[in-house]
Amino acid sequence: MKIRTRLTLLFTLITAMLLGIYSFSIYYSSKEAREKSFYSELQNEAIAKADLFFRSSLPEQEMHKLYKNNTRTLNEVQVAIYDINKQLIYHDDAKVDYVKETPQMLSQIFQKKRITFFLNNLQVIGMVYHYEGKSYAVTAAAYDQYGYEYLTHLLTISIISFFSILILIYLAGIFLSKKALSPLSEMVIQIKKITAGKLELRLKTTKEKDELNELAQNFNGMLERLENSFDSQKHFVSNISHELRTPLSAIITELELASEKDKSKEEYQETIQYALEDARNMVKLSNSLMDLAKASYDPNEISFSEIRLDEILLESYTKIIKENPGYKVSLNIEDSLEEHQLIIQGNEYLLQVAFNNLIDNACKYSPEHTCSIDVRTHSEVLKIRFTNMGNSIPQDNLSHIFKPFYRSETSRQEKGHGIGLFLTEKIILLHHAKITVISDHHETIFTVEFVIS
C-alpha cells in the first residue's frame, strides 16, 4: 500500500473516531436533557392538575372530559392522586391506568418525597403534594412523543452527516496527501535516473526548511561521497594494476631471457636473485594493500584497547633494525613523562604499521639512513617526532605527500609504491590524532600528535 493511500486512510479513520465521539456525545447529552426536561414537565403537570382538583370548583367529570379531549390530539399526561391512607381520590382515566400504583410505590413516594422511573416507553414521576396541612401522593405519566421524534431526527441527521463528512474527508485526504507528497514522487523519478554511470546527477533542492528538502540535501551529500569513492576506487585500481604490472613484467622478462639460452650457474643465480627481489617487492606491495584495507574498515569494526605508545615504538624500532641492519634509529623519551600519559585507546597492529612506515621512510631517504624519534608532551598533547637529515622535500610536493601512489621526483630514486604515507595518515586519523610534516634546511620532520587526558 502506498504511503499516500495509507495516510489518507489513517487520516480518515482518526477523523471518523473523533467525529463518532463528538456525535455520540451530542446524542447522549440530548437524550439526557430530554429526559430531565420531560420529568420537569411531568412535575409541573402533576402540580397543575392537583391545584385544579383541590383549588378550583371544576367538577371531576369535567376534568375527565378535558383529559379525554386532549388525548385525541396529543399525548396527555395521566395524573392520579392518593391520600395518606393510599386511597385513590382522583384519576384522569381509571379504566386505562398506565402506572397501576401499588402500596409499595405509594409508600416510597411518601418516604422519598419524589421518585422518577420508566415504565415501558412511559416516563413516570411520583411526588408529595401538600394541601391544607395534608399530604397527598401525586403520580404523573406520559409518553414524550415530541422528544423521541426529536432524538430520532437528531440520530438520522447525525448518521447522514457522519458518512457524508467521512466521504468529504477521504476525498480531501487524497488531495492533500497527493499535494504534500508530490515532491517525494518527483524525487523518486529523479532517483530512477541515477545509475552507476550517472552519479553526477543530483536531486533538486529548494530554500524551504522542510523534511523533504533536508532529505534531498542529505541524499545529494551521499551521492557526492559515493561519486568520490567510485572515482578513488577507479584511480586506486588503476594504480594497483600499474604497480603490480611492473614487477610481474620484470620477472617474466628475466625468466624468458634465462630460458632462451644456456647460462652459467652464476648467471642463473643472478637471474634468480633479480626475480626474488621483484617477488619481494610484490609481497611488500600486497602487504601494504592489506594494511590499507584494514585501515579503511568501518571504525566500529576495528577493535580498540588500552595500549602503550612507548612499547609500540620500541617494537617498531626493533623490527626495522632487525630487517635493515644498516639503519640507525634512536628513540628518546622525555624523562618527565608519566606512564598514564603514554596510554591511549587504539589498535596495536595498525599503529605499529604506521610507525614502521615513518621510521622506514625516514631512514630510506636519509643519506646516512638515520632516524631520530623524540617523544615529548606539550599542553595535554603527546608529540612523537620522526626526524631525518637529508634532501628537503620541495614545498610544492608537501601538499601531495599523503596522497595514494604519489611519489615526488626526489623519491623516485628509492624503491617504493607511494602507499606508506597515505596508509599512515589513515591510521593516525583513525585514532583521532594528527600528523604533520615540515621539510627545510636539509631536515624533514613528521610529527604525530595524540591528545592525552
Side-chain angles (χ1 to χ4, degrees):
M1 184 183 293
K2 290 188 176 181
I3 294 179
R4 184 174 66 186
T5 305
R6 192 157 58 240
L7 285 176
T8 302
L9 291 176
L10 183 60
F11 179 62
T12 305
L13 178 62
I14 293 174
T15 305
M17 292 175 61
L18 295 176
L19 192 60
I21 293 173
Y22 174 76
S23 300
F24 176 78
S25 300
I26 294 295
Y27 180 79
Y28 183 78
S29 299
S30 299
K31 180 175 175 294
E32 291 292 314
R34 182 212 64 80
E35 185 178 320
K36 291 180 180 178
S37 175
F38 196 65
Y39 277 131
S40 179
E41 291 179 12
L42 288 177
Q43 180 173 333
N44 293 335
E45 186 68 19
I47 294 173
K49 280 283 181 73
D51 286 342
L52 188 64
F53 177 76
F54 287 110
R55 300 177 189 277
S56 70
S57 58
L58 190 66
E60 184 176 343
Q61 291 79 7
E62 292 297 324
M63 293 181 64
H64 289 167
K65 188 182 297 185
L66 180 63
Y67 169 77
K68 290 180 180 180
N69 288 335
N70 288 342
T71 57
R72 295 175 183 175
T73 56
L74 50 82
N75 294 315
E76 180 67 4
V77 178
Q78 188 181 88
V79 177
I81 304 175
Y82 290 83
D83 61 14
I84 194 67
N85 297 319
K86 304 173 185 177
Q87 296 297 318
L88 178 65
I89 60 175
Y90 173 78
H91 199 294
D92 278 330
D93 190 354
K95 294 180 180 180
V96 185
D97 187 1
Y98 293 150
V99 181
K100 296 180 177 59
E101 295 83 353
T102 63
Q104 292 79 5
M105 183 189 300
L106 295 172
S107 298
Q108 191 176 12
I109 293 173
F110 282 116
Q111 181 182 358
K112 295 184 177 180
K113 307 302 182 182
R114 185 177 184 273
I115 63 172
T116 58
F117 58 93
F118 275 86
L119 188 64
N120 296 325
N121 291 330
L122 300 176
Q123 282 181 247
V124 182
I125 185 171
M127 56 173 291
V128 175
Y129 179 84
H130 299 283
Y131 179 72
E132 294 182 351
K134 295 181 180 180
S135 297
Y136 299 90
V138 182
T139 64
Y143 175 74
D144 186 11
Q145 183 176 353
Y146 172 77
Y148 281 118
E149 287 178 353
Y150 168 78
L151 284 180
T152 302
H153 181 70
L154 178 62
L155 181 61
T156 303
I157 293 298
S158 298
I159 292 174
I160 294 174
S161 301
F162 178 79
F163 287 104
S164 299
I165 292 174
L166 278 190
I167 293 173
L168 293 175
I169 290 294
Y170 179 76
L171 296 176
I174 292 176
F175 172 77
L176 292 176
S177 60
K178 182 177 180 180
K179 187 175 181 63
L181 296 176
S182 58
L184 195 59
S185 300
E186 293 179 6
M187 283 185 188
V188 172
I189 295 173
Q190 295 174 33
I191 290 173
K192 288 181 179 179
K193 296 179 182 179
I194 300 173
T195 61
K198 295 182 179 180
L199 286 176
E200 73 281 357
L201 297 178
R202 297 291 183 269
L203 299 181
K204 294 180 181 178
T205 57
T206 63
K207 294 182 180 180
E208 298 292 334
K209 295 183 179 180
D210 56 17
E211 290 80 358
L212 291 178
N213 191 56
E214 185 179 355
L215 174 63
Q217 291 175 348
N218 284 301
F219 190 82
N220 287 341
M222 181 189 70
L223 287 176
E224 186 75 27
R225 293 189 294 272
L226 282 176
E227 186 179 10
N228 293 336
S229 178
F230 271 57
D231 291 341
S232 299
Q233 189 180 50
K234 290 178 183 178
H235 180 69
F236 187 70
V237 171
S238 176
N239 283 317
I240 288 176
S241 301
H242 174 74
E243 294 292 336
L244 288 175
R245 188 184 301 115
T246 301
L248 282 174
S249 298
I251 292 174
I252 292 172
T253 301
E254 290 162 1
L255 294 178
E256 285 179 345
L257 289 174
S259 63
E260 287 179 356
K261 57 182 179 178
D262 293 335
K263 291 186 176 184
S264 63
K265 178 180 178 182
E266 289 76 12
E267 290 175 327
Y268 279 121
Q269 287 180 341
E270 184 179 3
T271 301
I272 292 172
Q273 288 300 322
Y274 287 142
L276 282 174
E277 185 64 27
D278 289 329
R280 291 192 183 100
N281 288 335
M282 287 184 63
V283 171
K284 289 182 180 179
L285 176 59
S286 63
N287 288 337
S288 297
L289 294 175
M290 288 293 293
D291 293 335
L292 182 59
K294 292 178 181 178
S296 301
Y297 288 164
D298 185 339
N300 296 324
E301 297 181 4
I302 298 176
S303 60
F304 283 79
S305 59
E306 284 193 354
I307 53 176
R308 288 189 52 158
L309 291 174
D310 57 339
E311 293 179 353
I312 297 177
L313 284 170
L314 187 59
E315 290 177 5
S316 295
Y317 164 87
T318 305
K319 182 176 184 297
I320 293 297
I321 293 298
K322 183 178 180 180
E323 293 179 353
N324 303 276
Y327 286 178
K328 300 175 183 178
V329 183
S330 61
L331 177 60
N332 307 302
I333 300 177
E334 189 176 37
D335 294 334
S336 60
L337 271 176
E338 298 180 7
E339 181 178 339
H340 74 273
Q341 293 177 307
L342 294 167
I343 298 176
I344 66 165
Q345 287 288 328
N347 184 279
E348 181 178 354
Y349 171 78
L350 290 178
L351 278 178
Q352 189 172 352
V353 170
F355 293 156
N356 288 348
N357 287 335
L358 290 172
I359 297 172
D360 182 69
N361 190 75
C363 293
K364 185 189 298 182
Y365 295 107
S366 170
E368 298 180 356
H369 302 298
T370 59
C371 175
S372 175
I373 307 172
D374 296 289
V375 183
R376 300 285 186 271
T377 58
H378 178 71
S379 301
E380 302 300 323
V381 175
L382 181 69
K383 294 185 177 183
I384 306 176
R385 301 176 63 183
F386 300 83
T387 306
N388 73 296
M389 306 299 295
N391 295 328
S392 301
I393 302 173
Q395 295 299 315
D396 294 340
N397 294 337
L398 284 179
S399 59
H400 305 286
I401 199 168
F402 292 112
K403 291 184 178 180
F405 301 103
Y406 176 79
R407 304 196 71 200
S408 63
E409 293 296 330
T410 56
S411 65
R412 294 186 184 277
Q413 59 187 356
E414 298 290 340
K415 292 182 179 180
H417 306 288
I419 297 178
L421 291 178
F422 172 66
L423 171 60
T424 298
E425 185 188 41
K426 287 185 72 70
I427 293 173
I428 298 302
L429 294 178
L430 194 64
H431 287 77
H432 307 290
K434 182 175 69 172
I435 182 170
T436 56
V437 58
I438 56 174
S439 185
D440 199 10
H441 304 298
H442 302 287
E443 183 181 59
T444 300
I445 303 174
F446 285 87
T447 304
V448 180
E449 299 179 3
F450 293 93
V451 178
I452 55 179
S453 56

